[in-house]
């Protein structure tokens, strides 16, 4: 009997957007198992048990509920206090095969519960040494067979006597993980969609007092002309802004999709329980006093989220501003901000309620529009990751802006943001854990991920205006058209500093008295020029009253071409009335020309958009299948070192890396002359002698490493002069080459972070390293080895021989695959690596293993644990 494994517990999102809780079965579940069985239809019982099986005999019930969590494992899914599904495996004859079966209550079938249970059961089985699942399914039960077949595994099928026999390995594959990510995206997107598209909203804590939050919420829902029904909940019956009031949520006669809570903290648990009984889909908790205040608030917050998830609800907040959806079919303003935000192409996520209010006011001031807005407050449940999943497929959202104060699941964020950025720009303002990476390296890393990182809120809106209303540039050539030499010079200097090129014929100064027709003609010429990718209009009419016609000329010229146009027009910030194109309902739409108060602001926004466009235009690459990978043996080696965190011994390190096809040149540790002579004889002369630790261990230039020791006589002479150096290593001489290093670290923000650099003290001093995340594609690896400033040393700089770059790329891919497969591997340092024209030799390596931290295992699907 193995102890109850609490780490197998998980909150999960189902395909309909609801939530459930998965955990190992316990003996006390007996009554609820009987109740679940009683709710199953005769048909479901027949398909599960291959016969009528009207009731569970006591002996079977004992067998079902008493497991050892090793050879016999069962997981249950619960909603509230009811069990709605159960799955199990039984090891076959002490081997590494196990028979698997599960059943889902009829009312909850078709919601993806079987698939997510299979993922969690598979993860538990792998942990217990199971390698394959065996399933028997009636041929007349195609839905059950599809659950197994559609999981992404390669299954062997046979058919006999009306029963389909399935055998499939449960080790994750690229295809199975793709299936998991696709299902995760659909489920989490659906959970946010249900929250943002309610048919009815109940405001709990509604008040007739205009100074109370509950009154503001009701007023804002009314002002936004919410398309659904609004209910006010207050113990005292009275009218609040023509909205009927009910004493309790349970007293509302109609269904309630969304409940907004503006009540004291101690009342929240009871109201949340009422909402669960009522069938509410989501809670927006604007109430404060939770984790942001004290430890008791943190506990109350955790209890709230756990209770909501176990009852099928998602939670925004607590301590948040609320949510907003400008879709005319919804028109939802469930926020504390008394604004009517126009429809637009931008989805916006932030945490703080105060910052959320600033955001909405800034949107209005700039003439922009939003599709949806979420202020997540303490981000106890719904996070930026959930919104990324939703916005990935939301047709109304073309640009994503995020203001993040912290990251819940950094590895997932990096993965989702990169995927979304392939077809929608993602701009990020955040206070992230950037430690360990210098500013240029960090910018290059964000560029590699396709994320647009900004430093200020103004920059976030600058980029959002451009991306939301103008096309992407196809290159970095910028024409400047204006009526002031001074503005033109500022724009040229800004372009030079931002990496943009200004063609020789620009800037064009049209003079202070240029007419609208002259301006339109100059813009047409610039936009029609194949050598121009975008245009900056730096124009201030001599008479501000004449600006209307000039603005119309700019918009008309921009509309005639598929190139971005930005402006510094009259010093206006935002999309001015004259620069806007509008739809029939008055919403600002694409083709509107953003204006910036200075040429520098316009250029910086354009530069960020250009870098993003270049990233999006380049080939994606593929994560290649690598021969010689033994993931199972690597798992065993890692498992023998846990729990705890420690650096692997030389033997453990070498064996682990060999599982991924990485060979490290062996070394012999010595501490006496006799040891050194014996080791040199074993590895074969010529050899190198180097210190194991200390700043000189990779420094032949300072005498720390002695190379090409030819024979025993020379070894005696060298070692005799280093008797006080402590433990040293004797290593066979490797072929000559350029020294490089590869390091994988467990980064707080990006998860597994791979860095690459050219060896040598100069590169170290200048911090000349390039970074990439996992999973790594073949093109990622190719770019990474060419990214450092010293990379020309690898390609035949000044007549030197070019090195074996394909071998170096292959090594990077293998390190990345090791990191991706095993989040318990916290660091890998291959240092130094000598890469020559045909050779590649890893001379030194260290590996640290410990409990997985930021890099949560990529499967199975689960919501972020409540802290």
């Amino acid at each position: 009997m193995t102890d109850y494994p609490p780490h197998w517990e998980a909150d999960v999102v189902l395909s309909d957007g609801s939530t459930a809780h998965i955990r190992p079965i316990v003996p006390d579940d007996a009554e609820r198992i009987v109740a679940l069985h009683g709710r199953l239809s005769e048909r479901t019982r027949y398909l599960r048990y291959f016969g009528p099986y009207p009731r569970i005999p006591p002996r079977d019930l004992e067998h079902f509920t008493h497991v050892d969590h090793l050879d016999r494992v069962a997981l249950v899914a619960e909603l509230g206090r009811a069990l709605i599904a159960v799955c199990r495996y039984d090891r076959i004859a002490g081997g590494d095969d196990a028979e698997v079966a599960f059943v889902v209550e009829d009312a909850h079938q078709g919601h993806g519960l079987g698939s997510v249970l299979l993922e969690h059961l598979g993860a538990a089985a792998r942990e217990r040494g199971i390698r394959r699942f065996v399933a028997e399914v009636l041929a007349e039960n195609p839905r059950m067979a599809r659950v197994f077949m559609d999981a992404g595994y390669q299954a062997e099928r046979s058919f006999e006597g009306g029963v389909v026999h399935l055998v499939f390995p449960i080790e994750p594959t690229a295809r199975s993980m793709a299936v998991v990510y696709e299902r995760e995206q659909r489920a989490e997107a659906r959970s946010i969609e249900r929250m943002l598209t309610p048919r009815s909203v109940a405001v709990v804590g509604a008040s007739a007092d205009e100074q109370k939050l509950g009154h503001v919420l009701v007023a804002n829902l009314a002002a936004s002309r919410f398309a659904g029904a609004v209910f006010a909940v207050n113990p005292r019956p009275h009218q609040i802004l023509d909205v009927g009031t009910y004493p309790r949520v349970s007293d509302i006669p109609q269904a309630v999709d969304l409940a907004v809570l503006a009540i004291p903290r101690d009342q929240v648990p009871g109201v949340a329980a009422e909402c669960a009984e009522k069938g509410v889909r989501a809670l927006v908790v604007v109430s404060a006093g939770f984790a942001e205040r004290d430890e008791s608030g943190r506990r109350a917050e955790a209890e709230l989220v756990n209770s909501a998830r176990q009852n099928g609800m998602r939670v925004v907040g607590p301590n948040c501003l609320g949510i907003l959806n400008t879709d005319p079919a919804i028109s939802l303003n469930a926020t504390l901000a008394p604004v009517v935000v126009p429809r637009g192409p931008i989805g916006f996520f932030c945490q703080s309620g105060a910052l959320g209010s600033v955001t909405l006011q800034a949107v209005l001031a700039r003439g922009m529009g939003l599709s949806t807005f979420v202020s997540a407050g303490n981000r106890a449940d719904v996070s930026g990751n959930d919104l990324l999943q939703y916005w990935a497929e939301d047709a109304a959202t073309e640009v994503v802006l995020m203001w993040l104060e912290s990251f819940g699941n950094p590895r997932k964020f990096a993965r989702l943001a990169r995927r979304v950025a392939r077809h929608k720009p993602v701009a990020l303002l955040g206070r992230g854990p950037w430690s360990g990476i210098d500013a240029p390296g960090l910018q290059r890393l964000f560029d590699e991920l396709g994320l647009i990182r900004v430093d200020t809120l103004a920059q976030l809106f600058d980029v959002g205006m451009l991306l939301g209303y103008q096309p992407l540039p196809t290159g970095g050539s910028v024409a400047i058209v204006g009526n002031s030499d001074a503005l033109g010079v500022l724009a040229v200097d800004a372009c030079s500093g931002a990496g943009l090129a200004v063609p020789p014929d620009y800037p064009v100064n049209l003079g202070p008295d240029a007419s609208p027709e002259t301006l339109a003609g100059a813009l047409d010429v610039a936009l029609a020029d194949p050598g121009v990718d975008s245009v900056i209009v730096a124009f201030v009419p001599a008479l501000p009253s004449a600006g209307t016609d000039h603005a119309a000329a700019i918009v008309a010229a921009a509309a005639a071409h598929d190139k971005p146009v930005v402006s510094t027009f009259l010093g206006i910030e935002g999309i001015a009335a004259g620069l806007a194109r509008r739809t029939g309902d008055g919403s600002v739409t694409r083709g509107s020309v953003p204006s910036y108060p200075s040429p520098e602001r316009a250029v910086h926004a354009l530069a960020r958009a250009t870098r993003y466009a270049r990233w999006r235009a380049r080939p994606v690459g593929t994560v290649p299948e690598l021969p010689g990978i033994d993931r199972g043996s690597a798992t065993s080696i890692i498992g023998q070192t846990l729990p705890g965190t420690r650096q692997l011994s030389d033997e453990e390190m070498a064996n682990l890396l060999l599982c991924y096809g990485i060979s490290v040149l062996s070394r012999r540790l010595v501490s006496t002359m006799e040891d050194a002579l014996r080791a040199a004889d074993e590895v074969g002369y010529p050899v190198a002698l180097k210190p194991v630790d200390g700043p000189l261990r990779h420094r032949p230039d300072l005498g720390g490493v002695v190379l090409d020791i030819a024979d025993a006589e020379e070894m005696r002479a060298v070692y005799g002069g280093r008797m006080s150096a402590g433990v040293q290593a004797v290593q066979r001489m490797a072929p000559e080459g350029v020294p490089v290093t590869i390091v994988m670290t467990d980064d707080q923000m990006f998860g597994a972070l791979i860095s690459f650099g050219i060896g040598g003290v100069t590169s170290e001093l200048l911090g000349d390293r390039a970074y990439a995340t996992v999973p790594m594609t073949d093109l990622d690896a190719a770019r990474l080895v060419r990214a450092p400033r010293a990379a020309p040393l690898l390609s035949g700089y000044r007549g030197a021989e070019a090195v074996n770059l394909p071998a170096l790329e292959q090594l990077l891919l293998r390190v990345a695959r090791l990191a991706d497969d095993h989040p318990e591997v916290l660091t890998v340092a291959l240092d130094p690596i000598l890469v020559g024209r045909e050779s590649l030799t890893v001379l030194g390596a260290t590996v640290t293993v410990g409990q997985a931290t930021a890099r949560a295992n990529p499967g199975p699907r689960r919501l972020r644990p409540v802290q």
Side-chain angles (χ1 to χ4, degrees):
M1 179 71 178
T2 302
D3 291 340
Y4 179 90
H7 62 286
W8 290 354
E9 295 192 24
D11 296 319
V12 297
V13 182
L14 306 181
S15 61
D16 67 342
S18 64
T19 58
H21 185 68
I22 292 176
R23 60 170 174 79
I25 202 167
V26 295
D28 289 346
D29 287 326
E31 289 187 9
R32 289 193 284 176
I33 288 290
V34 171
L36 167 62
H37 188 80
R39 295 193 301 272
L40 299 178
S41 66
E42 291 184 9
R43 178 65 175 169
T44 296
R45 286 198 295 265
Y46 170 75
L47 294 175
R48 164 62 182 89
Y49 300 104
F50 293 22
Y53 206 68
R55 64 185 62 85
I56 304 178
R59 181 177 177 180
D60 287 357
L61 185 61
E62 172 84 7
H63 178 78
F64 289 162
T65 56
H66 288 71
V67 298
D68 60 9
H69 306 302
L70 178 63
D71 295 329
R72 297 180 54 249
V73 168
L75 302 178
V76 295
E78 57 185 351
L79 186 62
R81 288 289 300 163
L83 299 185
I84 59 174
V86 60
C87 67
R88 62 187 311 108
Y89 78 70
D90 290 85
R91 191 188 297 265
I92 299 174
D96 55 8
D97 288 359
E99 187 171 3
V100 61
F102 58 87
V103 66
V104 178
E105 184 179 340
D106 294 68
H108 298 281
Q109 292 177 9
H111 296 168
L113 189 50
S115 298
V116 74
L117 278 170
L118 180 61
E119 291 174 28
H120 283 262
L121 190 67
R126 291 191 297 274
E127 189 176 323
R128 300 308 194 213
I130 301 295
R131 296 289 175 258
R132 286 169 297 277
F133 274 167
V134 177
E136 305 282 349
V137 181
L138 287 174
E140 56 189 294
N141 190 7
R143 175 182 288 184
M144 181 66 72
R146 270 200 309 274
V147 170
F148 295 114
M149 299 302 296
D150 292 347
Y153 300 109
Q154 192 68 35
E156 298 177 4
R157 289 184 292 179
S158 59
F159 179 80
E160 183 178 351
V163 176
V164 179
H165 182 76
L166 299 170
V167 181
F168 53 95
I170 58 175
E171 190 72 17
T173 64
R175 181 169 177 265
S176 70
M177 290 310 303
V179 170
V180 168
Y181 290 150
E182 181 183 358
R183 289 173 173 168
E184 174 192 68
Q185 192 276 323
R186 289 201 307 262
E188 294 183 4
R190 177 60 179 147
S191 74
I192 300 303
E193 180 186 21
R194 296 195 334 162
M195 178 186 74
L196 287 170
T197 59
R199 294 162 298 182
S200 56
V201 177
V203 178
V204 184
S207 174
D209 185 343
E210 295 182 2
Q211 302 303 311
K212 296 293 182 65
L213 299 183
H215 182 91
V216 173
L217 288 164
V218 174
N220 290 345
L221 283 164
S224 68
R225 300 182 182 276
F226 173 55
V230 179
F231 309 105
V233 177
N234 189 300
R236 292 176 295 176
H238 56 284
Q239 290 288 112
I240 300 175
L241 297 174
D242 297 326
V243 176
T245 305
Y246 299 88
R248 300 161 58 92
V249 173
S250 56
D251 295 324
I252 298 174
Q254 298 171 238
V256 176
D257 289 338
L258 175 69
V260 186
L261 278 53
I263 52 179
R265 187 186 82 184
D266 58 358
Q267 296 179 21
V268 169
V271 170
E274 284 187 47
C275 290
E277 290 293 325
K278 184 67 176 175
V280 173
R281 294 177 171 182
L283 305 177
V284 173
V285 184
V286 303
S287 311
F290 287 86
E292 81 283 358
R293 179 167 296 177
D294 52 30
E295 178 59 23
S296 65
R298 187 199 65 77
R299 291 194 298 269
E301 182 173 293
E303 291 170 5
L304 165 66
V305 175
N306 282 325
S307 173
R309 288 178 175 177
Q310 291 184 15
N311 286 282
M313 298 184 292
R314 300 299 307 271
V315 177
V316 176
N319 188 36
C320 70
L321 186 72
I323 64 176
L324 184 150
N325 185 349
T326 63
D327 183 346
I330 307 297
S331 295
L332 173 72
N333 181 7
T335 77
L336 295 171
V339 297
V340 179
V341 177
R343 183 80 167 148
I346 298 170
F348 202 108
F349 175 87
C350 67
Q351 292 173 226
S352 163
L355 299 181
S357 294
V358 171
T359 295
L360 295 179
Q361 292 294 342
V363 167
L364 286 176
R366 287 168 171 79
M368 301 165 61
L370 301 179
S371 61
T372 42
F373 167 89
V374 172
S375 160
N378 293 357
R379 198 178 36 79
D381 178 25
V382 169
S383 70
N385 288 344
D386 295 292
L387 270 297
L388 281 173
Q389 298 279 39
Y390 172 72
W391 283 324
E393 304 298 333
D394 178 38
T397 302
E398 301 175 29
V399 179
V400 173
L401 303 183
M402 308 189 80
W403 186 348
L404 300 176
E405 300 171 55
S406 61
F407 296 85
N409 186 334
R411 185 175 193 262
K412 183 175 179 179
F413 172 80
R415 169 172 60 84
L416 293 180
R418 178 161 57 175
R419 179 168 60 82
V420 173
R422 276 292 161 196
H423 58 282
K424 296 183 182 182
V426 178
L428 167 69
L429 168 63
R431 190 179 64 237
W434 314 133
S435 58
I437 308 177
D438 61 13
L442 182 64
Q443 185 58 58
R444 287 197 298 269
L445 178 57
F446 271 99
D447 289 343
E448 282 299 312
L449 290 170
L451 303 181
I452 304 169
R453 177 175 171 262
V454 300
D455 298 312
T456 67
L457 183 60
Q459 292 175 357
L460 189 63
F461 285 119
D462 286 352
V463 170
M465 284 194 301
L466 172 55
L467 297 173
Y469 297 100
Q470 285 289 305
L472 285 175
T474 56
S477 177
V478 182
I480 301 167
V481 177
N483 65 342
S484 164
D485 285 331
L487 291 177
V489 168
L490 289 175
V492 169
D493 289 346
C495 285
S496 177
L500 300 176
V502 178
D505 294 336
Y506 295 92
V508 170
N509 182 0
L510 302 176
D513 298 326
S515 67
E517 293 75 18
T518 301
L519 176 59
L523 290 177
D524 278 330
V525 170
L527 289 165
D529 186 344
V532 170
D533 300 307
S534 54
V535 174
I536 296 174
V537 184
F539 200 89
V540 180
L543 297 175
S545 60
T548 302
D549 292 337
H550 291 86
I554 296 172
V555 173
H561 302 271
D562 191 26
K563 295 179 181 179
V565 176
V566 297
S567 69
T568 298
F569 189 78
L570 285 171
I572 295 171
E573 182 173 7
I575 300 175
L579 295 172
R581 297 185 68 193
R582 299 186 183 275
T583 60
D585 64 359
S587 299
V588 176
T589 189
R590 278 204 169 269
S592 300
V593 177
S595 178
Y596 300 88
S598 70
E600 293 91 341
R601 291 262 298 269
V603 167
H604 290 162
L606 191 57
R608 286 183 166 93
T610 301
R611 284 202 301 268
Y612 166 71
R614 286 171 174 159
W615 174 86
R616 195 160 119 174
R618 74 190 192 188
V620 176
T622 58
V623 178
E625 291 295 329
L626 302 173
I629 301 294
D630 187 353
R631 181 173 177 174
S633 295
T635 300
S636 299
I637 294 170
I638 294 167
Q640 293 168 10
T641 69
L642 299 174
T645 299
R646 69 175 176 87
Q647 182 175 309
L648 298 185
S649 68
D650 276 11
E651 182 179 3
E652 291 170 327
M653 171 272 296
N655 290 336
L656 177 62
L657 293 180
L658 275 176
C659 292
Y660 280 78
I662 303 170
S663 176
V664 181
L665 190 65
S666 63
R667 65 178 186 174
R668 304 287 194 277
L669 300 183
V670 301
S671 55
T672 67
M673 176 80 76
E674 290 73 19
D675 289 343
L677 291 169
R678 187 182 311 109
D681 283 336
E682 291 174 356
V683 303
Y685 289 101
V687 298
L689 184 66
K690 58 185 74 174
V692 173
D693 296 307
L696 300 181
R697 66 187 187 278
H698 299 315
R699 297 299 303 276
D701 56 322
L702 297 181
V705 178
V706 181
L707 304 175
D708 285 314
I709 301 175
D711 51 33
E713 181 179 355
E714 190 173 345
M715 173 61 80
R716 288 190 182 93
V718 171
Y719 196 91
R722 297 160 57 96
M723 294 291 289
S724 62
V727 177
Q728 301 180 68
V730 174
Q731 199 169 35
R732 178 173 53 83
M733 286 296 297
E736 292 185 357
V738 179
V740 300
T741 63
I742 296 173
V743 178
M744 187 284 294
T745 55
D746 188 36
D747 187 79
Q748 297 179 69
M749 167 60 199
F750 299 103
L753 187 62
I754 310 289
S755 69
F756 172 76
I758 311 301
V761 65
T762 303
S763 292
E764 292 180 14
L765 180 63
L766 298 177
D768 185 19
R769 302 194 67 80
Y771 299 86
T773 59
V774 301
M776 183 180 288
T777 70
D778 51 357
L779 297 183
D780 291 336
R783 283 189 290 265
L784 188 58
V785 300
R786 293 162 177 83
R789 293 187 293 276
L793 293 173
L794 304 175
S795 303
Y797 183 69
R798 289 192 174 181
E801 280 192 328
V803 306
N804 191 351
L805 289 177
L808 196 52
E809 294 165 15
Q810 180 76 188
L811 182 59
L812 279 165
L813 289 167
R814 290 180 179 275
V815 172
R817 176 70 180 274
L818 170 63
D820 205 24
D821 285 352
H822 303 283
E824 300 85 4
V825 176
L826 303 181
T827 65
V828 175
L830 306 184
D831 181 17
I833 305 161
L834 287 182
V835 55
R837 184 171 64 87
E838 296 181 352
S839 62
L840 184 148
T841 309
V842 180
L843 296 179
T846 58
V847 176
T848 302
V849 172
Q851 192 62 42
T853 55
R855 293 183 294 129
N857 201 310
R861 287 174 283 163
R862 64 175 66 215
L863 288 169
R864 178 168 49 91
V866 179
Q867 302 297 324

